[in-house]
Amino acid sequence: MAQDNQRGVVVSALAALGIVYGDLGTSPLYTFQTVVGDAGGTITREIALGSLSLIVWALIVVITFKYCVVVMRADNQGEGGILALMSLLKPPSRPGLMHGSGLLIAAGLFGAALIYGDGIITPAISVLGALEGLDVATSAFKPFILPIAVAILVILFAAQPLGTAKLGRAFGPVMLVWFAVIAAMGAVAIARSPGVLQALDPLLGLRFLLHHGFGSFTVLGGVFLALTGGEALYADMGHLGRRPVRLSWGTIVLPALLLNYAGQAAQIVRDPSLAKNSFFSEVPHWGVYPLVILATIATIIASQAIITGAFSLTRQAMQLGWMPGLIIHQTSDEEYGQIYVPLVNWTMMIATIAITVGFGSSARLAGAFGTAVSTTMLLTTILLADVMRNRWRWGWPAILSVVGILLVIDIAFFAANLLKILDGGFVPLLFGLALFVIMITWHEGVARMRASLKATAPDGDAVIAAVRDGRIPRTEGHAVFLTRGPTAVPLLVARHLTMFGALPERVVSLFVRFEATARVPASERVTVQALGEGFWYVEVRFGFVEIPNLVMALEEARRQDCRIDADRAIFFAAHDDIVPKAQRPRMFGPQRLLFALQYRNAVRTPDRFALPRDRFFELGRQIEL
C-alpha cells in the first residue's frame, strides 16, 4: 500500500511539471534579457554575477521558503490560491470593506483580480520569448515572429472548448524534457566558465544592490520575472496536493532553473554581446531551431496552465459570491478541474492578442509583466499574517520574524516594478482594477437585493395559517421555489399566489448557500425544515469548488421526509429587474447600473444548477435598489 502511495506521489509530481510549473519553467526565456534592458542595454561581469546571485536567492527564499514551505500550508481543504487564502481570514466584525478585516478581504479580491492581468500577459510574453529565438538563427524570420505568435495564441484560445483532459496527460513528460534540456544547456555553459558559481554567495547580490544604488534597484524588476509563477504554484496546488508540488520543485524544477540561469550568466561573462538573447546563445547554431520548437511547446503548456487557472478562479469567485454566474462547461468526466468558461476565454484572448500586437516583443512586454504579480505576492504576504495569527495561533514574535523578512523582499520587488508603470505596467493594473470594481459591485448589489427582499417578504406564519384555514386553494402537483435568501416563505410564493390564486399541494422553498470552505461533507449538504401543511424549507450547502446539483440535493431532502418528487416538480425562480428606489436609493447610481447590467447578463438559473428546462418557469418582478 505504501509503495502504491509513493508511486502515486511520483506520478503526480510528474504531472505537476505541466500543470504547475509552466510559468516558472519558461521564465528563463526572457528574464536575463529583461535584466540587460534594465541595466541600460549593456551588461558587465559584475552586473551579470550580481543579478544571478539575486535570482538564485530569490528563487530559494520566495519560491522555496515562502510558497512551498509557508504559504502552501494555508490551504482550504487542499485548495490554494489567493481566494482560498482570503476565505481563511477572520470574518469582518461589521459589513463593508473599508475597515479591519474588510480591508484584508478587499486586498484579497484585488490580488485575485490581478491574477487575470497576469493571465493575459503570460501567454503573450512566453510565446514571443520562445519565437524570438528564431532571430538568433537568422534575421530572415524577424518580420514573421509577431504574426506567428498571434496565430499560435488564437489557436490556443480557440481550442479551449475542446478541453485538455487527454492532451494534459502529455504535459508532464514534455515539461520533463524541457527541464532536462535547459539544465543540460546550463551545465555545459557553466563547465566553460565555472567562475559564475561564486554567485551562490548571497552576499554578492547584496553588495551589488548596495554599491550600485538606484541602478541595481531598477535591475530588481528584471530579476523578479524569475518568480512570476509563484502565485500560480499556490493556486494550482489543489489539483495535485502539497507533496507532489514540493517534490517536483525540489528535485527537478529548482535545480534545472538554477543551472540554466547560471549558464546564461556564464555566456554573458564570456561574451557580453550575447546578452540580448542569452538563453538561445547557450546552444550551437544547429540546435536553435529544435530549441525554438521545444520552447514554443513549453510556453503553450505554460499558457494553458494560466488559462485553466483563470477558469478555476472564476468558478471560485462565483461561488463565493464575488462574481455573477457565468456559463461553465465541464470538459472532462474524470477531472474536476477541466472546465471551460466562454466569456473569460474570449475576453482573455482579445486582451492577450491586443497587448501582443501593441507591445510587439517580449522585451517591451516585460515592463508590463511584473507589476500585477508583484502586487499579488505582496498582498498574499499581508493576508498570510492574518492567517498566522487567527488560524494558526502563532505568536507575534514568530509572525514578525517570518512576515518581516518576506515583506522586505516583497516590497522591494513591488517598488522596483512600480518604476515600470509607464512602460506598460499600467495595463494589468487597470485590467485588475476593472475586475475588482465588478467584483465588489456584484457582492454589494446581491447583499442589498437580499436586504430588500427580506424587508418585503410575506409573513410565513400567516401564509401557512391561510392554507390551514382553506383561504388559499391547493392544486395537484409539486413546486420548488428557488429563493435568493434564507427565507422559509419567500416573496416568490406571494408572487405565485398573486398570479395564479393557488398553491400546489407540496411546496419547497429552496435556498442554495455557498460556503467559504472548499467542500461540504455529504452528511451536512441538505437541511430540511418542515413548516406544515405540505410546506418545507430546504437549505443546500456547497463548497466553493463543488458543482451544484439541486436534483440530487432534493433526492437527499426526500430521504429526510421532505415529500417532494424532483422528477415531477415544477421549478420556479424570479426574473428580476433592478430599478432605482424613488426615495433614498440603496446604491449609488453608476454602481446600480453596473450591477443591473451584470445581473441581467448573468447565467440563467437552469443553466447554473442543471435544472430541467421543460419544468422551469420564471416569474417577473422589480427590485428597488
Side-chain angles (χ1 to χ4, degrees):
M1 183 66 71
Q3 187 176 8
D4 290 341
N5 184 54
Q6 189 68 26
R7 187 182 297 112
V9 170
V10 172
V11 171
S12 295
L14 177 62
L17 297 179
I19 296 173
V20 177
Y21 289 113
D23 196 354
L24 276 165
T26 53
S27 293
L29 286 166
Y30 45 78
T31 297
F32 251 116
Q33 180 180 339
T34 305
V35 168
V36 173
D38 291 342
T42 58
I43 191 166
T44 64
R45 174 187 176 87
E46 187 179 10
I47 295 174
L49 295 182
S51 300
L52 174 61
S53 180
L54 291 172
I55 290 172
V56 168
W57 287 100
L59 287 170
I60 292 172
V61 175
V62 176
I63 305 301
T64 305
F65 175 68
K66 175 182 175 179
Y67 282 97
C68 287
V69 175
V70 182
V71 176
M72 287 178 68
R73 287 188 59 206
D75 66 296
N76 189 321
Q77 296 180 343
E79 295 296 323
I82 195 165
L83 280 183
L85 180 63
M86 188 185 79
S87 70
L88 299 176
L89 297 178
K90 182 181 179 180
S93 56
R94 63 182 190 271
L97 297 176
M98 301 310 295
H99 57 82
S101 297
L103 286 173
L104 291 177
I105 291 175
L109 288 175
F110 188 53
L114 288 174
I115 290 175
Y116 289 95
D118 175 30
I120 64 173
I121 296 178
T122 295
I125 192 172
S126 299
V127 172
L128 278 172
L131 292 174
E132 283 166 356
L134 293 171
D135 199 30
V136 174
T138 172
S139 59
F141 279 108
K142 191 169 185 176
F144 303 103
I145 290 175
L146 184 59
I148 294 172
V150 170
I152 289 173
L153 291 171
V154 169
I155 293 171
L156 173 66
F157 283 99
Q160 294 305 309
L162 303 176
T164 57
K166 294 181 180 178
L167 187 60
R169 297 189 185 103
F171 285 177
V174 171
M175 291 304 294
L176 180 61
V177 172
W178 167 256
F179 285 116
V181 169
I182 66 172
M185 289 164 51
V188 171
I190 293 169
R192 294 173 181 165
S193 301
V196 296
L197 294 179
Q198 64 183 289
L200 294 175
D201 181 2
L203 295 178
L204 188 68
L206 291 175
R207 285 195 294 267
F208 170 71
L209 288 176
L210 293 174
H211 293 168
H212 289 78
F214 186 76
S216 64
F217 187 67
T218 60
V219 168
L220 274 181
V223 170
F224 178 76
L225 296 185
L227 311 176
T228 52
E231 280 295 322
L233 178 155
Y234 176 43
D236 290 328
M237 176 181 69
H239 292 290
L240 301 162
R242 278 193 294 262
R243 285 187 63 197
V245 172
R246 288 170 172 169
L247 180 63
S248 290
W249 174 253
T251 60
I252 298 173
V253 182
L254 179 60
L257 291 177
L258 294 180
L259 284 169
N260 191 264
Y261 283 123
Q264 291 190 53
Q267 289 290 99
I268 294 171
V269 168
R270 288 178 60 246
D271 185 356
S273 67
L274 300 176
K276 290 186 177 180
N277 208 322
S278 54
F279 178 82
F280 286 97
S281 69
E282 288 184 290
V283 296
H285 189 274
W286 60 264
V288 171
Y289 294 111
L291 184 59
V292 167
I293 294 172
L294 179 61
T296 303
I297 295 172
T299 57
I300 290 172
I301 293 173
S303 302
Q304 177 61 53
I306 199 70
I307 294 168
T308 301
F311 293 163
S312 298
L313 181 66
T314 301
R315 177 163 58 188
Q316 289 186 16
M318 281 172 48
Q319 300 190 172
L320 286 170
W322 294 105
M323 273 192 181
L326 301 176
I327 293 175
I328 294 180
H329 300 299
Q330 191 76 26
T331 59
S332 171
D333 295 332
E334 300 175 358
E335 298 180 44
Y336 173 78
Q338 292 289 342
I339 59 174
Y340 167 63
V341 187
L343 179 63
V344 173
N345 184 65
W346 301 123
T347 302
M348 287 181 65
M349 186 188 81
I350 292 170
T352 299
I353 291 174
I355 63 172
T356 301
V357 175
F359 285 85
S361 71
S362 63
R364 294 184 63 195
L365 265 171
F369 196 22
T371 51
V373 187
S374 63
T375 305
T376 303
M377 284 187 168
L378 175 60
L379 294 174
T380 295
T381 301
I382 294 171
L383 298 185
L384 185 65
D386 183 87
V387 172
M388 287 175 173
R389 181 63 178 168
N390 295 303
R391 286 276 179 169
W392 299 348
R393 304 299 180 187
W394 284 20
W396 282 115
I399 294 173
L400 292 176
S401 62
V402 174
V403 172
I405 295 172
L406 298 180
L407 278 178
V408 168
I409 296 171
D410 287 338
I411 290 172
F413 282 128
F414 173 71
N417 278 289
L418 287 182
L419 299 175
K420 299 183 177 183
I421 290 291
L422 297 180
D423 293 331
F426 65 90
V427 173
L429 291 180
L430 287 178
F431 194 79
L433 181 61
L435 283 169
F436 175 71
V437 170
I438 287 172
M439 292 164 83
I440 61 173
T441 297
W442 176 257
H443 191 267
E444 182 179 351
V446 169
R448 293 186 180 276
M449 186 179 71
R450 285 179 175 171
S452 176
L453 291 174
K454 185 177 180 180
T456 55
D459 185 337
D461 293 337
V463 172
I464 299 297
V467 171
R468 186 183 303 116
D469 296 341
R471 285 177 284 150
I472 296 179
R474 307 299 291 272
T475 59
E476 184 180 352
H478 299 193
V480 177
F481 292 90
L482 302 179
T483 172
R484 298 191 184 278
T487 306
V489 182
L491 184 61
L492 196 59
V493 171
R495 181 67 175 159
H496 184 278
L497 273 171
T498 301
M499 295 183 67
F500 299 105
L503 287 172
E505 60 182 347
R506 296 182 187 178
V507 175
V508 167
S509 295
L510 179 63
F511 175 59
V512 178
R513 186 189 298 276
F514 289 100
E515 301 289 353
T517 56
R519 297 170 184 84
V520 172
S523 60
E524 302 174 14
R525 174 87 61 208
V526 178
T527 303
V528 177
Q529 179 184 354
L531 306 177
E533 305 302 323
F535 276 75
W536 293 269
Y537 170 68
V538 176
E539 185 169 303
V540 186
R541 300 167 59 231
F542 294 101
F544 61 77
V545 300
E546 294 183 300
I547 301 173
N549 188 317
L550 296 189
V551 174
M552 290 182 64
L554 285 172
E555 289 298 325
E556 174 58 30
R558 192 175 186 180
R559 286 190 284 271
Q560 297 184 33
D561 206 28
C562 173
R563 295 190 294 277
I564 192 78
D565 187 348
D567 294 329
R568 293 176 50 199
I570 297 175
F571 294 85
F572 292 92
H575 181 81
D576 301 320
D577 287 323
I578 308 300
V579 297
K581 193 176 181 181
Q583 296 180 342
R584 301 182 65 183
R586 296 173 183 264
M587 294 185 75
F588 178 57
Q591 190 181 30
R592 183 181 60 249
L593 290 174
L594 176 58
F595 175 67
L597 179 66
Q598 292 175 273
Y599 196 84
R600 188 162 50 247
N601 290 283
V603 65
R604 296 184 63 220
T605 304
D607 294 320
R608 183 169 187 187
F609 296 117
L611 297 175
R613 286 182 169 274
D614 58 339
R615 290 184 283 118
F616 178 82
F617 293 89
E618 289 183 318
L619 302 179
R621 66 185 179 190
Q622 289 186 337
I623 297 179
E624 294 183 339
L625 294 182

